[in-house]
Each structure stands twice: as structure tokens, then as C-alpha cells.
Amino acid sequence: MAKYFTRRQLFRLRNEIPVDDLLRRLDWPCKVREGRFCFVCPCCQESLTAVNDRTNLGRCFRCERNFNPIDLVMMIRELDFVDAVYFLMGTWPATVVGDGDSGPPEAAQNA
Ligand SMILES: [Zn+2]
């Protein structure tokens, strides 16, 4: 298999796979506390974290790092970038369907 992906594929993986669903699928410790989703930071193991629904990024306030779905799979499953992308594409095939057109990236996303 080719070891590269289109920008659009990567964009979709980062944006269309909800971080909370991903962490639950990975059996990674996370919970809803006072109505807010938080998770154990794969870097520092603390849970001073939140997910930004707008950007679909997990944030650790202690590490001051943001994690997109690809980052999280790489860290939690200890995969390299390519394997993490394959994992996400295999687990969320809907994010791959319809790929290949060269239209503008999800302009409607925030509409
Ligand atoms: Zn952290």
C-alpha cells in the first residue's frame, strides 16, 4: 500500500472522528465530569484535559499540548503516523468513502 495520503483524507480523519468516540474505542480512560468530557493525557497521565468540539482537538492543560485523532492513536497505540492513519481509516471507513475528489477542503464545516 502506498505510504502517503491525500491532504483531504488526513483532514477528514482529524476532523470527522470525534475525539471522545475515538478514546472510548481505544478503551482509553476518559469520563464526563460536570458535563465536560475529559481524558487521561497520554503524555503526562493527568486528566487536566478537555476536548474542543469546534477544532476536534483534545487539549492537556498541564502539557499545554493539543492532540488530534491521529496524534492520540500514535501515542496510545504506540504506532507510527502511517499505521495510525490506517487504523483510523479501518475503524471509521466512512471517513474514507468518497475521497479522491479535489474539491476545496470542507468549506461548509463551520457554516
Ligand atoms: Zn498532559
Side-chain angles (χ1 to χ4, degrees), residues 40-49 59-65 67:
V40 169
C41 172
C43 250
C44 68
Q45 320 297 323
E46 298 284 340
S47 48
L48 296 169
T49 55
R59 166 91 180 160
C60 175
F61 298 103
R62 188 162 183 265
C63 298
E64 300 189 336
R65 288 184 61 167
F67 306 103

Side-chain angles (χ1 to χ4, degrees), residues 35-106:
R36 293 168 58 98
F37 179 86
C38 59
F39 59 96
V40 169
C41 172
C43 250
C44 68
Q45 320 297 323
E46 298 284 340
S47 48
L48 296 169
T49 55
V51 173
N52 184 324
D53 291 330
R54 191 175 56 78
T55 58
N56 197 43
L57 290 170
R59 166 91 180 160
C60 175
F61 298 103
R62 188 162 183 265
C63 298
E64 300 189 336
R65 288 184 61 167
N66 291 316
F67 306 103
N68 67 45
I70 298 171
D71 297 329
L72 289 166
V73 172
M74 288 174 68
M75 297 182 77
I76 291 171
R77 288 290 172 91
E78 300 183 340
L79 296 175
D80 64 25
F81 179 83
V82 169
D83 288 338
V85 169
Y86 281 134
F87 171 85
L88 290 169
M89 288 168 51
T91 309
W92 278 271
T95 60
V96 184
V97 171
D99 190 54
D101 69 83
S102 53
E106 270 64 21

Side-chain angles (χ1 to χ4, degrees), residues 3-64:
K3 291 211 168 189
Y4 59 87
F5 310 97
T6 66
R7 294 169 70 88
R8 182 179 167 83
Q9 279 175 320
L10 297 175
F11 181 91
R12 294 191 65 179
L13 294 174
R14 291 192 183 103
N15 287 276
E16 294 182 18
I17 299 172
V19 166
D20 52 347
D21 282 359
L22 172 66
L23 291 167
R24 289 187 181 106
R25 184 72 70 105
L26 292 169
D27 287 324
W28 188 251
C30 52
K31 64 183 172 183
V32 176
R33 189 169 57 199
E34 294 170 9
R36 293 168 58 98
F37 179 86
C38 59
F39 59 96
V40 169
C41 172
C43 250
C44 68
Q45 320 297 323
E46 298 284 340
S47 48
L48 296 169
T49 55
V51 173
N52 184 324
D53 291 330
R54 191 175 56 78
T55 58
N56 197 43
L57 290 170
R59 166 91 180 160
C60 175
F61 298 103
R62 188 162 183 265
C63 298
E64 300 189 336

